[in-house]
Amino acid sequence: MPDGTRSAFGASHWGAFTATATDGRLVGVEPFGMDPSPAPFIRALPDAVHAECRIATPAVRQSWLEGGPGANAAARGTEPFVAVSWDRALDLVAGELQRVAKEYGNEAIYGSSGWGSAGNFHNARSQLGRFLNLHGGFVDQVTSFSVGAASVIVPRIVGSMQPVFGPVNTWPVIVEHTELMVAFGGMPPKNSMVNQGGVGAHESADWHRRAVEAGTCFVCIGPIRDDTGDEAEAEWHPVRPNTDLAVMLGLAHTLLSEDLHDADFLARYCTGFDRLAAYLLGVADGIVKDADWASGIAGMPAGAIRDLARRMASSRTLIGVSWSVQRADRGEQPYWMTIALAAMLGQIGLPGGGFGFGYGAMHGIGAATRQVAPPRLPTGKNDVGCNIPVARLADMLLNPGAPYSFNGEDRHYPDIRLIYWCGGNPFHKHQDLNNLLRGWAKPDTIIIHEPWWTPAAKRADIVLPCTTTLERNDIAASQFDRFVLASQQAIDPVGQARSEYDIYSGLADRLGFAEAFTEGRSEMEWLRHLYDLYRQRVAKDGIEMPGFESFWEAGHFALPQHDSPPIPFADFRQDPDGAPLKTPSGKIEIYSETIAGFGYDDAPGHPTWVEPVEWLGCDKAERFPLHMLSNQPRARLHSQLDCGSVSRAAKVAGREAMRMNPDDAARRGIADGDVVRVFNDRGACLAGVVVSDAIRRGVVELATGAWFDPVDPAVPGSLEKHGNPNVLTNDKPTSTLTQCCAAQTALVEVERFEGDAPAITAFTPPSIIEA
């Protein structure tokens, strides 16, 4: 290589690569040679790493620096920042942590994180949790935006999260045994591009192709046709959003009324089917939940529902449900009903049969990988016995001390004075951002680690610039991927950026627990230590990994695949008494006495259809006649790399692309490429239109992740000009039981935007005053 040029093997959420740098600047990225279908996102790394919106130096909001904690908090996002030295920034953070803990207790500190980078040592949640736990603890978050409602309901019904995180029926098993795969919400190929722990080889499209060649028939039930890739050649039923449960109930009624259900399986392995059967037959409410009833709700022809039920009963059938289905009003209900429907077919525990959640939701779901927990920085014990469901952030900030119920517990929201946020963007993932802005003004202090001036960084008080995955060393590994990947530093940190480990080490030194935090190890010493622990763990399964130095030089190690992938619930099926489920009955709980005993009006003891608060069948649809789906974007991961070239190239007129059906567009005088105003009672945003027949009439698709960019940052409710759908989404919890994200339950109207659209400033840094 020329003088001043170096290369390094790297890993990210969207794939492995070799990075090339010249004179300290990243100039190129080449995909991992063993990846058959590399994600396009990696091409954005060079321009994103060196973007204009990189944070160059520690910075403090001017009013906070001059007036102290809480000063002019409503001005967050509108004020200049003052550049300060690292020493001063760390002194301010350490001092504020001490002040809040002393005056209000650690129950007043809220710590939150997101996907961060793919590295297991620099994992944002682990680093933040370890640091705050050593400081005395913090208010943590439980559940997740990805599978929040599922994480509550699935363990209640089958005793674990195995159907969500695996092992599920693997693709080799599906190819060999599955005759019919019914995918509610599809199996989105774009989502299979990413994984939180890193991706070595993208192989899902090939498995879909192989399954079709082996005779598997795919059925996609959902409003977006290409939520199942072309390789699957899927039969598409474009149902109304949020009506999956009704279709499932109609299928179940057909199985019951035509005596196609497996009564023996239900009697031996399940409890409470008689209650569900009575509900299907309308014994109590007089409403028979048959295919005609389901058709009137979902828009899927009754004949197609009956035909599908018969095909499911006569085939080895696997029911798959996307994670997006449970991100809706009462989103736990279709997951519960999926399990009940699979139980009625009697194929749970058979190869290629039963059910599984999340096929296509993330890379590696269904892979034949040996599921070994990846190496992770230990976080220690949190002495604060308080957490909140992650989607209830705004409720917590706006209602300190208010009571709420969650998963059978009566709780109260803590009074938060300090937010410490790392590795995530609340102005991407939270619902009803105008409401969040009101809550965001409540704490005394908001501290954020970020490489870029994201919407959250612009609305913080103290901003600490941290490195990207290209500027530090790490190990990437996931239970869903067969590769363990070296993530090698390719360039020196940009500006004054520091790794989060270095930042926390500096803070721990000021707070008196540096030795406990670092254990005397440098970054590379931690990597060797964690790698050795991982190597010892997999050796118990007969897997021999090379020593660290050999691994680091090679850049990757491929774990052997399963010769005989495990079949979910096979042991339970073979011996339900000797291998009971971890439920109160030891069986599949089609009716749950526990949930019924909570007494929640919106969560009875078995799956139950109740109209969503917003859907195409409600009165509100007269004013807002389009159902908006805010799903995973095609050109980035969440909001990551939105400032990069790949995401920006996918914009329409500089704004997030919104897909709509040709009939809906024509009715409003909207053409492909137009800028439109998307609005409801919660807010309004601009978007660029893509007209497509791949989306059902009455539905629009506006992906999440466009950096929040209101016309007037000082005014909640101001027109968002970049296409962030979360100014429109509903912050209603899924239910009292699950208290999770219901973003997919949102009605809107769309109109063509007239005149000159306001300029995008999402990627423009705030004003910086030199100290």
Side-chain angles (χ1 to χ4, degrees):
M1 287 187 179
D3 291 343
T5 299
R6 59 182 291 193
S7 65
F9 193 84
S12 70
H13 299 309
W14 41 87
F17 53 84
T18 298
T20 301
T22 299
D23 296 329
R25 188 174 182 88
L26 191 66
V27 295
V29 173
E30 290 296 323
F32 182 32
M34 298 178 71
D35 189 344
S37 302
F41 313 152
I42 62 171
R43 298 199 309 269
L45 284 171
D47 50 273
V49 166
H50 299 289
E52 176 190 3
C53 55
R54 278 301 297 265
I55 302 172
T57 180
V60 183
R61 186 172 63 87
Q62 185 178 22
S63 287
W64 193 99
L65 188 62
E66 295 174 352
N72 201 18
R76 289 178 179 133
T78 66
E79 284 196 306
F81 283 81
V82 179
V84 299
S85 68
W86 268 108
D87 280 342
R88 189 174 186 197
L90 295 178
D91 287 344
L92 290 171
V93 172
E96 184 62 358
L97 284 166
Q98 288 175 315
R99 181 191 73 86
V100 172
K102 181 179 179 179
E103 294 184 12
Y104 303 103
N106 284 62
E107 295 82 0
I109 299 172
Y110 178 66
S112 186
S113 61
W115 275 46
S117 74
N120 293 99
F121 172 62
H122 289 290
N123 176 273
R125 182 169 176 79
S126 297
Q127 290 275 348
L128 176 64
R130 180 180 177 88
F131 169 72
L132 289 179
N133 284 342
L134 286 168
H135 179 59
F138 65 107
V139 175
D140 201 353
Q141 57 194 36
V142 293
T143 69
S144 71
F145 283 93
S146 297
V147 291
S151 68
V152 175
I153 195 65
V154 175
R156 292 284 186 192
I157 309 310
V158 295
S160 77
M161 281 289 279
Q162 176 185 328
V164 180
F165 291 135
V168 294
N169 272 284
T170 63
W171 283 109
V173 171
I174 292 169
V175 168
E176 184 176 356
H177 296 281
T178 303
E179 298 171 298
L180 176 64
M181 186 166 183
V182 181
F184 286 88
M187 301 177 295
K190 58 185 172 55
N191 296 14
S192 296
M193 289 284 108
V194 301
N195 182 276
Q196 188 166 16
V199 179
H202 297 88
E203 299 170 326
S204 61
D206 184 55
W207 281 115
H208 297 174
R209 191 179 299 110
R210 291 169 65 177
V212 170
E213 291 171 354
T216 304
C217 177
F218 290 91
V219 175
C220 173
I221 299 178
I224 300 175
R225 182 177 62 217
D226 52 12
D227 266 350
T228 301
D230 293 341
E231 297 83 3
E233 301 179 11
E235 170 189 320
W236 181 38
H237 294 281
V239 299
R240 288 171 169 173
N242 291 188
T243 64
D244 307 88
L245 175 62
V247 175
M248 293 175 187
L249 290 168
L251 292 168
H253 182 275
T254 300
L255 296 177
L256 179 64
S257 63
E258 297 186 7
D259 199 26
L260 299 174
H261 62 299
D262 190 330
D264 291 339
F265 183 92
L266 292 165
R268 186 178 185 194
Y269 298 98
C270 306
T271 182
F273 176 70
D274 57 329
R275 305 282 195 108
L276 179 62
Y279 175 69
L280 293 172
L281 298 172
V283 171
D285 60 9
I287 301 172
V288 178
K289 316 307 182 299
D290 60 10
D292 295 291
W293 169 85
S295 178
I297 292 170
M300 182 174 171
I305 294 173
R306 291 190 177 95
D307 176 67
L308 180 58
R310 293 162 188 154
R311 290 160 62 193
M312 293 169 73
S314 62
S315 307
R316 180 62 59 86
T317 299
L318 178 61
I319 306 172
V321 185
S322 70
W323 290 354
S324 61
V325 166
Q326 50 91 58
R327 288 195 291 271
D329 190 16
R330 302 179 76 252
E332 70 279 352
Q333 298 296 312
Y335 266 45
W336 194 348
M337 190 60 210
T338 295
I339 300 170
L341 185 60
M344 292 180 71
L345 294 173
Q347 299 178 22
I348 296 172
L350 295 178
F355 66 98
F357 302 117
Y359 287 101
M362 185 172 68
H363 165 78
I365 304 292
T369 303
R370 294 173 184 260
Q371 293 205 344
V372 182
R376 187 78 72 183
L377 181 70
T379 58
K381 182 177 180 294
N382 188 347
D383 289 329
V384 173
C386 175
N387 55 47
I388 65 160
V390 64
R392 304 274 51 83
L393 171 64
D395 287 351
M396 174 185 71
L397 296 178
L398 289 166
N399 304 288
Y404 72 103
S405 296
F406 166 63
N407 199 13
E409 297 181 356
D410 292 326
R411 298 177 163 207
H412 289 80
Y413 287 120
D415 185 1
I416 298 300
R417 300 302 177 121
L418 185 152
I419 293 177
Y420 208 131
W421 202 290
C422 302
N425 179 4
F427 290 91
H428 144 66
K429 63 185 179 181
H430 205 76
Q431 286 62 68
D432 194 352
L433 291 181
N434 291 313
N435 188 50
L436 177 61
L437 282 173
R438 299 178 184 96
W440 202 249
K442 298 295 185 180
D444 296 343
T445 301
I446 298 173
I447 302 163
I448 280 180
H449 297 188
E450 260 293 350
W452 295 279
W453 281 110
T454 63
K458 290 178 181 179
R459 288 164 177 80
D461 297 311
I462 303 175
V463 180
L464 304 180
C466 64
T467 52
T468 68
T469 188
L470 278 301
E471 300 155 62
R472 61 195 185 206
N473 296 296
D474 215 323
I475 298 170
S478 164
Q479 69 188 67
F480 302 107
D481 191 78
R482 62 189 175 95
F483 285 94
V484 183
L485 303 166
S487 188
Q488 301 164 352
Q489 183 174 342
I491 58 174
D492 291 335
V494 172
Q496 296 184 33
R498 294 183 179 181
S499 75
E500 289 183 292
Y501 180 62
D502 287 343
I503 294 171
Y504 291 129
S505 296
L507 289 170
D509 183 56
R510 286 163 170 79
L511 293 168
F513 52 84
E515 179 61 29
F517 181 78
T518 67
E519 297 185 18
R521 295 189 181 98
S522 66
E523 174 189 75
M524 289 304 296
E525 288 169 337
W526 267 111
L527 297 187
R528 287 185 178 89
H529 174 68
L530 294 175
Y531 180 86
D532 287 342
L533 292 177
Y534 186 71
R535 186 184 180 201
Q536 294 167 24
R537 192 183 313 145
V538 300
K540 297 177 182 177
D541 290 334
I543 300 172
E544 184 177 349
M545 294 183 68
F548 179 80
E549 298 299 336
S550 297
F551 160 73
W552 196 254
E553 182 178 356
H556 60 89
F557 174 78
L559 296 166
Q561 302 284 76
H562 274 295
D563 294 328
S564 299
I567 306 303
F569 300 105
D571 291 345
F572 171 65
R573 184 184 185 96
Q574 183 175 356
D575 185 4
D577 297 321
L581 302 181
K582 295 179 181 178
T583 59
S585 64
K587 298 181 179 183
I588 298 169
E589 303 223 333
I590 294 175
Y591 181 89
S592 170
E593 295 283 359
T594 301
I595 293 175
F598 295 154
Y600 300 149
D601 292 340
D602 57 354
H606 61 71
T608 306
W609 166 261
V610 175
E611 288 193 11
V613 66
E614 293 182 22
W615 72 299
L616 292 175
C618 73
D619 292 342
K620 193 172 185 177
E622 295 180 8
R623 295 174 54 220
F624 302 111
L626 298 171
H627 195 122
M628 183 189 71
L629 297 176
S630 49
N631 53 6
Q632 175 65 236
R634 289 171 171 77
R636 60 181 177 269
L637 165 63
H638 303 154
S639 66
Q640 290 192 21
L641 301 187
D642 193 33
C643 61
S645 56
V646 174
S647 180
R648 294 173 82 160
K651 309 280 184 181
V652 176
R655 290 150 229 281
E656 192 65 22
M658 185 192 75
R659 292 205 297 178
M660 65 188 309
N661 183 275
D663 290 348
D664 293 326
R667 193 174 298 119
R668 293 163 175 79
I670 293 169
D672 201 78
D674 281 350
V675 175
V676 294
R677 176 175 172 262
V678 192
F679 62 96
N680 59 20
D681 289 335
R682 290 179 288 273
C685 70
L686 301 183
V689 168
V690 174
V691 177
S692 171
D693 64 1
I695 192 162
R696 187 192 195 277
R697 286 192 301 273
V699 180
V700 294
E701 175 197 53
L702 182 58
T704 62
W707 285 11
F708 181 55
D709 193 18
V711 170
D712 187 348
V715 180
S718 175
L719 176 68
E720 202 284 329
K721 54 192 176 178
H722 192 204
N724 187 314
N726 276 324
V727 299
L728 304 159
T729 49
N730 197 329
D731 197 24
K732 174 193 180 297
T734 43
S735 68
T736 308
L737 175 69
T738 54
Q739 290 286 355
C740 290
C741 164
Q744 305 301 347
T745 300
L747 295 179
V748 301
E749 178 57 292
V750 175
E751 63 185 13
R752 190 172 184 274
F753 185 79
E754 303 293 342
D756 296 330
I760 301 299
T761 55
F763 312 120
T764 303
S767 297
I768 305 294
I769 300 169
E770 296 299 328

